[in-house]
Amino acid sequence: MYRLLRAPLRGVTYTRWLHLLVPILIVSIWLFIEPEWPWMPALIVAPFGLIPWVRLAEGLQAQFLLTPHERGKHDGSISTAASERWGDRWRTIAWLEIRLVLAGVAMLATVWLPVMTLELILTGAGKALGADDVLLPFVPPRWAAFLLVPVPLLLLLVVVVLLGEAVTAIAARLLGPSAAERLTALEARTEQLLERTRIARELHDSIGHALTVAVIQAGAARAAGNPEFTDRALCAIEETGRAALEDLERVLLVLRESAQPPSQRPTLADADRLLNSARASGSTVDAELAGPLEQLPGPVTREGYRILQEALTNVLRHCGPVPVRVRIEAAVGRLDLEVVNPLPDGPALMTGTGSGLRGMRERAALLGGEAETGPHEGSWRVRARLPLERIR
């Protein structure tokens, strides 16, 4: 009841009414040609449903007039794609036929009910109506005619609202996305979410590492009070900040969908930059790099760099400048990466539920590998195994 009272104030009521009346144009044109065959338009429009672009045109019109709040959305209830399968074509034919029937009902109500209102007004005014012109089922007394004047208009509103709801529901059923279209939209949405997740991890790893190094370096330089150490700390902060800015610029270019090629993502060939940054922060880094790291597949070497970056960032953030042992080996068929450091005094790294640790495991899983994080023989260990054969 509340929706019915609100209907005159909603613009979609009138756009749906217009959508219901549009097919009458075809019927009207045909009646000028052959008025004795009013049913012929139903046969004429049916073959048009077999044309792929007709579904596209009907979908655009339906979305524009029936569900304007979904206009421009790819996941709306009404599809705006051409027919690709015979199932879509048969549904389009059914839609065209049903739309003609609903148009006839809407047109009948639109013409007949306002005329009834006019006849009630004339009857109430005392004007006699010819028997052939009266559409009223009965001729009421003058006093009753004035009371009944709003009834046909209210009935017209009810008919328009109900037919509008019905045609919208039918359009969603017959012009809605097919199973193949839903699958395509789901795949596109999944790709979009995966890309956003990857970008979030990139920002977390890169910016988080840069800020951690900067904070530790600045604190150490202030506590040391040594101009030479302060100069080295400022150089490390500058180098780390510059690398973070390059990563940030690359990510922003992706977000803006710029046509310019993004900056080259860092790889394990640039691992020395991370190791030197950790050493500049006061950590003693024992690094062992073995194998042709520069020949690793792109996805493996890039994700391996991020895993190493996050592992070293966690060491500096939660443990401070402690000794770190790093081993990276490009073995036969896989890449082994291990970062070991003393356990922290607090429980920060013991839970294993941080977004950084989860991000390392997700990166490894996306490549078909695995990453383990947790206490091991009195130390904290991050170990990742990334396959090489399936990536090439």
Side-chain angles (χ1 to χ4, degrees):
M1 188 63 179
Y2 177 69
R3 293 176 60 186
L4 186 60
L5 294 175
R6 287 184 54 214
L9 304 178
R10 300 175 61 204
V12 71
T13 300
Y14 304 100
T15 59
R16 289 176 177 176
W17 193 0
L18 175 61
H19 183 273
L20 287 166
L21 298 178
V22 166
I24 294 299
L25 296 175
I26 300 175
V27 179
S28 301
I29 294 173
W30 174 256
L31 290 178
F32 278 109
I33 301 173
E34 188 57 66
E36 296 181 359
W37 293 353
W39 44 268
M40 186 59 72
L43 298 179
I44 294 176
V45 300
F48 285 93
L50 300 175
I51 304 175
W53 61 262
V54 170
R55 182 168 180 261
L56 168 63
E58 290 292 324
L60 288 172
Q61 184 184 149
Q63 193 179 88
F64 186 80
L65 296 176
L66 300 181
T67 57
H69 57 284
E70 296 180 357
R71 191 165 59 238
K73 295 183 179 180
H74 298 287
D75 55 349
S77 60
I78 298 176
S79 175
T80 55
S83 300
E84 295 184 358
R85 294 169 175 81
W86 281 103
D88 296 335
R89 294 181 176 93
W90 294 122
R91 289 195 300 160
T92 305
I93 292 175
W95 161 255
L96 293 175
E97 297 297 327
I98 293 175
R99 190 178 176 192
L100 274 176
V101 174
L102 294 178
V105 177
M107 189 63 184
L108 183 63
T110 301
V111 173
W112 182 43
L113 293 175
V115 170
M116 287 180 60
T117 300
L118 179 60
E119 290 182 351
L120 287 171
I121 294 175
L122 295 177
T123 300
K127 183 176 180 179
L129 300 176
D132 296 334
D133 300 328
V134 176
L135 296 180
L136 293 170
F138 64 95
V139 179
R142 292 180 58 185
W143 62 270
F146 277 119
L147 295 178
L148 294 174
V149 165
V151 173
L153 297 180
L154 292 176
L155 185 58
L156 175 61
L157 177 62
V158 172
V159 171
V160 169
V161 172
L162 293 180
L163 286 180
E165 296 284 350
V167 74
T168 302
I170 295 172
R173 180 68 180 87
L174 297 179
L175 296 180
S178 62
E181 290 172 343
R182 289 192 182 95
L183 181 59
T184 301
L186 180 61
E187 290 176 348
R189 178 63 175 166
T190 301
E191 288 293 331
Q192 188 180 56
L193 291 177
L194 288 175
E195 181 65 14
R196 290 181 180 179
T197 302
R198 186 187 67 78
I199 290 174
R201 284 200 303 262
E202 293 283 324
L203 288 177
H204 173 273
D205 295 347
S206 178
I207 305 303
H209 176 77
L211 292 177
T212 299
V213 170
V215 170
I216 292 177
Q217 291 282 357
R222 183 178 61 180
N226 186 331
E228 183 178 351
F229 181 85
T230 300
D231 185 64
R232 290 201 305 270
L234 290 175
C235 290
I237 293 174
E238 180 184 7
E239 181 181 353
T240 305
R242 185 180 294 111
L245 285 176
E246 291 178 359
D247 287 342
L248 181 60
E249 178 185 4
R250 175 181 53 78
V251 171
L252 291 178
L253 284 174
V254 174
L255 290 176
R256 294 169 183 162
E257 299 180 348
S258 173
Q260 302 177 8
S263 302
Q264 182 67 33
R265 293 175 61 188
T267 66
L268 283 177
D270 306 311
D272 287 340
R273 187 172 69 181
L274 294 176
L275 301 177
N276 293 333
S277 178
R279 293 188 180 104
S281 299
S283 294
T284 301
V285 180
D286 179 16
E288 178 185 349
L289 281 66
L293 300 181
E294 67 281 354
Q295 298 179 11
L296 292 174
V300 173
T301 187
R302 289 192 293 266
E303 298 304 322
Y305 178 92
R306 292 306 185 190
I307 292 174
L308 174 63
Q309 184 181 54
E310 179 61 25
L312 293 176
T313 300
N314 284 340
V315 172
L316 297 175
R317 180 183 299 154
H318 299 291
C319 302
V322 298
V324 184
R325 186 173 74 254
V326 176
R327 184 178 68 86
I328 305 175
E329 180 181 3
V332 178
R334 74 171 190 268
L335 172 71
D336 292 331
L337 189 152
E338 186 179 71
V339 179
V340 180
N341 62 274
L343 282 170
D345 297 332
L349 280 175
M350 298 296 293
T351 60
T353 58
S355 61
L357 301 182
R358 184 174 62 252
M360 286 189 282
R361 291 190 288 267
E362 290 175 352
R363 288 180 184 277
L366 286 175
L367 296 175
E370 59 180 1
E372 302 173 358
T373 60
H376 177 73
E377 297 181 356
S379 301
W380 181 267
R381 183 180 69 173
V382 173
R383 184 174 66 176
R385 289 192 177 98
L386 307 180
L388 300 180
E389 295 179 354
R390 69 183 69 180
I391 302 298
R392 293 185 184 277

